[in-house]
Amino acid sequence: MLAGASRPLDEDDVMPSKRAKLSTVSDGMQMYLDLGLPMDEALTKSYTFFSPLPFANPDNNDNESDGFVLGVDEAGRGPVLGPMVYATCFCRESYYSQLSSIGFADSKQLTEAQRDQLFAKLQTTSVQQHAGWSIRCISPQDISHCMLRRTKYSLNALAHDATIQLIRDALDRGVHITKVYVDTVGPPLSYQKKLQELFPKIEITVAKKADSLYPIVSAASICAKVTRDAHLSNWVFAEQWLQNKMSKEYGSGYPGDPKTVKWLKDSVDQVFGYPGIIRFSWSTCVKLLDERAVKVVWADDEHAPKNTVGKYFVRNGADTRPRSKFFSRNKAIRLASSLNQ
């Protein structure tokens, strides 16, 4: 059975890919959902996934006149472990009221089962004619790399760039976007101005709690949350020897979650620290490594040896080496020549 077809499963139905997840759309009706997740391999690199684009509108032959509304939201911005997922949901303006009536709400206010059912409805044939979705899944390794490198790349900048990329990708795929609603990261007015300058032909709205104000953002919130949760529950450790040894009872990943705190304390290795599921730039991680891991002393720049390549190009005031007679002799010859002219 192909992902996206909503009918009761038959005995001969097979999972469309290793990335698929079995979900219940409604009573007695189940379907396989391909979440775009590389479930059979470790998530060490960030990736982007787009659902099939909406079919031609059967009730409107002039598709250009029927623009799309697009919402953007994220899941996993605050946790100390796992990916951060940005997602969009987009639908035809003429279909927006119908999409809103499906019952989308802020993903944090829904149970896992409710989120799965709503996400499944996005992939039914009747909805796919008018709507689509996409995700940008940012791996914990990439988050650590960005935030710990010498030239700092903040989480806000990472979030902004993910949003911009998803909007551009939708436009590049031919989605005629006319309105965009974004759950803000940072001050909404400056963020809205930034996006409006990048996409001057689109009506941009950036707001706090947009996921509770605009159903299209709520739908994006669900896409993001379902994707992140699926990654965590099916996590493949890049450190293969840990796959069947390390517990996955890490809770939500938020530093205030008792299950997460317990997992962090129990899972630290005194020498190697944590596996790649961790965001090493988080203060929670840094503190626990300082407390529980073997101390490592790194030679900083102040105490590093001065015997560097730079000394051959920058004169040191304490340099007492004798100057070659070649330079002083040539200088005297040039001076005498200039006096004779």
Side-chain angles (χ1 to χ4, degrees):
M1 174 179 175
L2 297 178
S6 60
R7 62 173 177 77
L9 292 178
D10 296 328
E11 290 184 1
D12 59 348
D13 282 330
V14 295
M15 186 180 296
S17 77
K18 291 183 178 180
R19 305 175 301 181
K21 178 179 181 181
L22 182 63
S23 184
T24 302
V25 183
S26 59
D27 292 341
M29 189 173 291
Q30 292 184 312
M31 61 188 292
Y32 282 117
L33 305 178
D34 190 339
L35 301 176
L37 312 178
M39 290 296 191
D40 56 342
E41 58 189 61
L43 177 62
T44 57
K45 295 182 179 180
S46 304
Y47 71 93
T48 302
F49 177 81
F50 258 79
S51 73
L53 295 179
F55 305 141
N57 188 341
D59 301 320
N60 185 359
N61 293 325
D62 185 10
N63 290 331
E64 287 299 318
S65 66
D66 192 9
F68 280 78
V69 181
L70 182 144
V72 184
D73 200 8
E74 55 78 27
R77 177 179 167 82
V80 67
L81 56 80
M84 178 172 71
V85 181
Y86 264 78
T88 73
C89 183
F90 47 91
C91 75
R92 300 183 186 279
E93 288 192 66
S94 59
Y95 184 75
Y96 190 24
S97 60
Q98 279 184 267
L99 185 75
S100 304
S101 67
I102 291 176
F104 290 104
D106 178 6
S107 65
K108 294 183 287 295
Q109 307 302 320
L110 302 172
T111 65
E112 181 178 0
Q114 289 173 325
R115 288 192 296 267
D116 285 349
Q117 287 185 18
L118 288 168
F119 183 71
K121 288 182 180 180
L122 281 176
Q123 301 192 54
T124 57
T125 303
S126 59
V127 175
Q128 279 188 332
Q129 290 179 343
H130 309 281
W133 56 278
S134 66
I135 55 171
R136 175 64 181 165
C137 186
I138 306 171
S139 72
Q141 286 94 330
D142 284 347
I143 293 173
S144 297
H145 171 73
C146 288
M147 298 186 68
L148 293 174
R149 67 187 191 184
R150 286 184 178 273
T151 304
K152 299 300 181 185
Y153 184 32
S154 71
L155 198 64
N156 279 6
L158 196 61
H160 286 192
D161 288 348
T163 297
I164 293 166
Q165 177 184 333
L166 288 173
I167 296 173
R168 281 181 174 155
D169 284 350
L171 291 170
D172 290 344
R173 283 169 166 79
V175 181
H176 180 49
I177 302 170
T178 55
K179 297 178 181 178
V180 169
Y181 297 93
V182 182
D183 194 36
T184 192
V185 172
L189 291 179
S190 59
Y191 189 16
Q192 180 171 312
K193 181 181 178 182
K194 176 181 180 178
L195 292 176
Q196 194 67 74
E197 290 174 350
L198 289 170
F199 306 104
K201 295 182 179 180
I202 300 175
E203 181 184 324
I204 306 286
T205 300
V206 178
K208 294 180 179 179
K209 305 295 182 182
D211 48 0
S212 60
L213 298 174
Y214 307 104
I216 197 68
V217 181
S218 303
S221 172
I222 288 168
C223 294
K225 180 64 174 170
V226 169
T227 300
R228 174 177 156 81
D229 287 351
H231 260 304
L232 288 179
S233 61
N234 295 279
W235 190 261
V236 177
F237 288 100
E239 305 80 5
Q240 297 179 2
W241 61 91
L242 295 177
Q243 189 59 34
N244 297 319
K245 295 181 179 180
M246 181 162 282
S247 166
K248 293 183 181 179
E249 298 296 323
Y250 28 60
S252 64
Y254 283 90
D257 184 339
K259 289 184 69 175
T260 301
V261 173
K262 182 179 186 304
W263 185 89
L264 288 170
K265 291 180 177 179
D266 294 344
S267 302
V268 64
D269 185 281
Q270 286 189 317
V271 176
F272 298 106
Y274 289 110
I277 191 175
I278 288 292
R279 303 176 187 179
F280 290 93
S281 53
W282 259 238
S283 59
T284 306
C285 170
V286 174
K287 182 179 178 181
L288 285 171
L289 287 174
D290 284 342
E291 293 175 352
R292 295 172 177 261
V294 175
K295 299 293 182 183
V296 178
V297 179
W298 302 95
D300 58 26
D301 291 340
E302 291 183 5
H303 300 95
K306 302 299 182 181
N307 187 21
T308 62
V309 174
K311 75 172 187 176
Y312 296 106
F313 302 96
V314 180
R315 184 175 180 182
N316 189 330
D319 188 359
T320 57
R321 291 175 296 175
R323 188 175 178 85
S324 171
K325 293 180 180 180
F326 172 83
F327 295 102
S328 57
R329 183 172 64 252
N330 280 0
K331 183 177 180 181
I333 292 172
R334 287 197 302 272
L335 178 59
S337 298
S338 64
L339 293 176
N340 292 331
Q341 291 178 355

